Amino acid sequence: MKNKVNLKYIIFLIISLLMIYGIWYFNNSIKTSEYINPEIVATHYNGANFVASETCLECHADIYSSHLKTAHFNTSSTAEKSHIKASFNEGTNELNLKGVKLKMLEENDEYFQVSQPKFGDVSTTKSKIDIVVGSGVKGQSYLSWQDEHLIQLQASYFQPTGSWVNSPNFPDYSLTRKVDDNCLKCHVTFAKNESESGIGNSYDRSKMILGIDCQRCHGPSEKHVKYHRENPETVIGEFIDSYESYTRQQRLDACAVCHSGLQGQQIKGNPFSFLAGDTLSLYSKNYKNVNSKIKLDVHGNQMGLLSESECFVNSPKMDCLTCHDPHKNQRADTNIFNSKCLTCHESNKVNSVAKSHIHDNQQNCVSCHMPLVPSEVMKLKLENDFEEIPVYIRTHLIGVYN
Ligand code: HEC
Ligand code: HEC
Ligand code: HEC
Ligand code: HEC
Ligand code: HEC
Ligand code: HEC
Ligand code: HEC
């Protein structure tokens, strides 16, 4: 009798324990698969998935945190106080152009442009600033959603004068401009256009990845993240390209896609189709159609100018990464840049002529050999000014200047 009771009790205990284990196991495997499978924020035209930028923090903490300070990461963002550099204070929030008056307002942490034409229909239009383009090194432009259509507003911010200006290439009467992929492609990581050609300005607003992020230069990385979460012991990066395996042209192209100025003409896919490791000339042509050195503009055409420089022509391995660390904000760090020049110019291997040129580590090589040059294409009109003033950009045509 006593044995029977004991047996029942033991069976009951075993079943209970099994059930508790079952529930624990089930719960945990949900947690594990939630951990293994990162949240997908957008899908590239080639079918590969983008994950949220923060996902990379987990395993690449150093690169991630230094990257947050770069002009690339900050080149586009939602319109928050911390990102908008321009002033909305009374007295400095107006722009008076020949044919239109613009006033910029801040209301409950939201930002607006109120535009009033001076001739014809003089009714006002109030547009919300939704997206900021430009880290603010030279300036910022502001974009606005009209339903799912994206437009650029007339007023921009110009850092050297700290004031509102007419957006580059806008006339001095009232205008907004459609923002298609050919504007966005250099300032965001990804945008999902309704038309795959990228010509229109209708977007899936929930699938826009602002800022130039890790995955703009390394490609959509869902598979990489999944693999390394499942295999934490692996020390070699899987499902991700190494730049070290690229040819010089591939390494250059990964930067040239955005740093060759505006003359590239799309011949394949969508403006976002090109990914690092691809060959740019298969996606766009005409990068070299403006061959004259004078016509290569400093605005955005670092590739064109550098490739005309004696340093580049005579150094089979030189590329953008010879001088730039893509994960760091190196702006104005003259010591770093000068030391890069001296890696080639101090040794006798290269450039024997330089020995006659008196220079030392204290000199700022860049100030004389890569001076700031006024842009021919990026010019701005200030209020009441007749002349447009150019933006000064550091030339990559390395040479001897007066
Ligand atoms: C679960 C861990 C993990 C996560 C999350 C992760 N990575 Fe990695 N990644 C690795 C490991 C491990 C390596 C190989 C060691 C190394 O190079 O640091 C690596 C290497 C890389 C490399 C270098 C490849 C090479 O061979 O040069 C790149 C680029 C890279 N990861 C990008 C990313 C990006 C972008 C993200 C976010 C979308 C990301 N990783 C998220 C673990 C991870
Ligand atoms: C082909 C690539 C490319 C395209 C297309 C492009 N930009 Fe740029 N933009 C750049 C680069 C590169 C810079 C950095 C400065 C330079 O080299 O002139 C820049 C700088 C800027 C800046 C100043 C940023 C700062 O903080 O100094 C603003 C604002 C800007 N662009 C707005 C726009 C807008 C608006 C459009 C679309 C109408 C556009 N850009 C299209 C590549 C591009
Ligand atoms: C502007 C383009 C660009 C962006 C943005 C970028 N990278 Fe890179 N990354 C590169 C290039 C180029 C290299 C190769 C550097 C070299 O060979 O000197 C590289 C190399 C790497 C490597 C391997 C070598 C190393 O330095 O450890 C890892 C890992 C990596 N990147 C992760 C990331 C992560 C994570 C982010 C975002 C937080 C990111 N990258 C953002 C261009 C970029
Ligand atoms: C998706 C387009 C894109 C790609 C790819 C890209 N850049 Fe840029 N880059 C930009 C834009 C846009 C700016 C201007 C950012 C701003 O100030 O708003 C910029 C700015 C810069 C700057 C100035 C940074 C500063 O502090 O002002 C450097 C240097 C630079 N890029 C180098 C590179 C190198 C090297 C690569 C390749 C590894 C690269 N870029 C790839 C678009 C791109
Ligand atoms: C020989 C060294 C060297 C090489 C190679 C080089 N750069 Fe630069 N780059 C510099 C220096 C120096 C500056 C000025 C930095 C500063 O003012 O803080 C600069 C500035 C820039 C800027 C900001 C320009 C401005 O005035 O806002 C961009 C963008 C840029 N580089 C992109 C590139 C790209 C893309 C490549 C490859 C095609 C490249 N660079 C190759 C040395 C170099
Ligand atoms: C990868 C090596 C390398 C780097 C880095 C480099 N150069 Fe050069 N540079 C060369 C070579 C090679 C020549 C061609 C002259 C020769 O072969 O003697 C040259 C030529 C020059 C010339 C003469 C240009 C002309 O038109 O006659 C100047 C000036 C110059 N470099 C300045 C610089 C400055 C400034 C930097 C840093 C911003 C720099 N270089 C970085 C390799 C380099
Ligand atoms: C004050 C301006 C100035 C500074 C700073 C400067 N240079 Fe020069 N550099 C010149 C001039 C002018 C020439 C041409 C006349 C000559 O050869 O003396 C020249 C010529 C050169 C040449 C080419 C020589 C030739 O005739 O082809 C090289 C290479 C060069 N400099 C490298 C550098 C490097 C590297 C630094 C930084 C350590 C530097 N320079 C700093 C003004 C400067």
Side-chain angles (χ1 to χ4, degrees):
M1 192 68 192
K2 214 180 170 197
N3 273 352
K4 256 192 182 167
V5 174
N6 266 352
L7 195 66
K8 262 191 197 162
Y9 180 72
I10 288 168
I11 290 172
F12 176 75
L13 200 73
I14 290 173
I15 290 175
S16 308
L17 282 174
L18 278 176
M19 273 171 68
I20 292 169
Y21 175 73
I23 292 169
W24 176 83
Y25 183 82
F26 183 69
N27 265 350
N28 236 30
S29 65
I30 287 183
K31 268 192 211 141
T32 311
S33 77
E34 260 175 13
Y35 166 70
I36 299 280
N37 294 305
E39 191 200 341
I40 289 157
V41 294
T43 303
H44 190 264
Y45 294 99
N46 70 8
N49 291 323
F50 290 99
V51 299
S53 162
E54 304 80 65
T55 318
C56 317
L57 168 68
E58 180 187 331
C59 307
H60 301 289
D62 289 353
I63 294 179
Y64 181 82
S65 52
S66 70
H67 158 80
L68 295 182
K69 300 189 191 89
T70 60
H72 281 147
F73 182 72
N74 292 300
T75 198
S76 56
S77 64
T78 49
E80 274 138 41
K81 203 180 200 94
S82 52
H83 292 290
I84 299 189
K85 304 272 189 230
S87 165
F88 290 78
N89 298 332
E90 204 60 45
T92 49
N93 63 341
E94 286 183 28
L95 180 63
N96 206 351
L97 299 170
K98 216 189 228 161
V100 61
K101 198 175 161 182
L102 302 160
K103 189 164 178 156
M104 275 54 75
L105 302 175
E106 179 183 354
E107 292 167 2
N108 308 321
D109 294 331
E110 295 195 328
Y111 300 87
F112 301 89
Q113 171 190 279
V114 180
S115 150
Q116 183 172 32
K118 290 181 178 170
F119 315 106
D121 180 3
V122 294
S123 51
T124 57
T125 309
K126 189 173 177 182
S127 315
K128 184 162 179 275
I129 295 176
D130 292 303
I131 293 174
V132 180
V133 175
S135 68
V137 171
K138 293 186 197 66
Q140 294 186 325
S141 286
Y142 302 101
L143 313 184
S144 184
W145 287 113
Q146 294 181 333
D147 300 323
E148 73 283 7
H149 299 293
L150 195 58
I151 55 162
Q152 182 182 358
L153 298 175
Q154 181 140 18
S156 280
Y157 166 74
F158 188 41
Q159 197 277 336
T161 58
S163 57
W164 289 98
V165 293
N166 199 12
S167 294
N169 305 319
F170 271 56
D172 50 16
Y173 50 85
S174 181
L175 187 84
T176 52
R177 191 159 55 192
K178 287 182 180 177
V179 171
D180 61 15
D181 289 20
N182 279 312
C183 170
L184 286 182
K185 67 174 180 182
C186 300
H187 287 279
V188 305
T189 294
F190 187 68
K192 186 83 177 70
N193 200 310
E194 211 167 69
S195 93
E196 208 175 314
S197 66
I199 299 166
N201 69 334
S202 305
Y203 294 95
D204 182 341
R205 290 173 61 166
S206 66
K207 301 261 155 64
M208 186 165 293
I209 310 178
L210 296 174
I212 295 175
D213 206 338
C214 323
Q215 292 167 98
R216 180 70 213 223
C217 298
H218 293 295
S221 308
E222 182 209 15
K223 283 189 175 162
H224 171 71
V225 170
K226 248 173 137 167
Y227 179 89
H228 284 284
R229 283 179 174 177
E230 273 169 349
N231 303 280
E233 69 292 341
T234 311
V235 292
I236 293 168
E238 295 288 346
F239 296 104
I240 197 119
D241 274 0
S242 171
Y243 272 76
E244 273 168 35
S245 67
Y246 292 165
T247 61
R248 183 199 203 188
Q249 195 56 49
Q250 285 172 312
R251 283 164 72 91
L252 286 166
D253 281 356
C255 311
V257 64
C258 301
H259 287 286
S260 299
L262 298 173
Q263 69 267 40
Q265 185 197 332
Q266 193 75 21
I267 50 173
K268 183 178 147 188
N270 165 285
F272 288 96
S273 298
F274 172 90
L275 292 174
D278 286 341
T279 302
L280 192 55
S281 58
L282 300 177
Y283 290 82
S284 305
K285 63 169 185 179
N286 285 354
Y287 280 101
K288 289 220 146 188
N289 71 344
V290 194
N291 257 330
S292 142
K293 288 187 195 184
I294 312 147
K295 283 219 180 123
L296 287 172
D297 196 79
V298 280
H299 170 50
N301 201 350
Q302 288 79 22
M303 183 64 225
L305 292 161
L306 184 69
S307 57
E308 300 280 344
S309 306
E310 290 300 318
C311 304
F312 183 86
V313 174
N314 294 294
S315 314
K317 286 199 169 157
M318 183 187 249
D319 58 37
C320 314
L321 308 167
T322 307
C323 301
H324 293 289
D325 180 335
H327 306 132
K328 289 203 180 113
N329 186 338
Q330 299 173 307
R331 179 159 283 275
D333 197 335
T334 37
N335 287 338
I336 287 192
F337 290 114
N338 291 337
S339 71
K340 305 283 182 186
C341 312
L342 294 169
T343 54
C344 293
H345 288 293
E346 225 177 19
S347 72
N348 294 329
K349 286 187 297 225
V350 190
N351 201 344
S352 50
V353 194
K355 276 189 284 183
S356 65
H357 169 54
I358 304 158
H359 65 233
D360 60 52
N361 301 11
Q362 304 307 313
Q363 277 189 316
N364 186 357
C365 326
V366 172
S367 66
C368 291
H369 294 298
M370 295 179 71
L372 287 164
V373 171
S375 168
E376 291 291 324
V377 299
M378 208 197 213
K379 291 181 177 174
L380 292 159
K381 194 160 214 162
L382 302 183
E383 190 168 305
N384 303 326
D385 264 0
F386 293 105
E387 289 275 304
E388 286 188 311
I389 57 165
V391 178
Y392 279 76
I393 300 174
R394 201 161 288 288
T395 184
H396 279 63
L397 186 61
I398 305 170
V400 175
Y401 294 80
N402 285 325

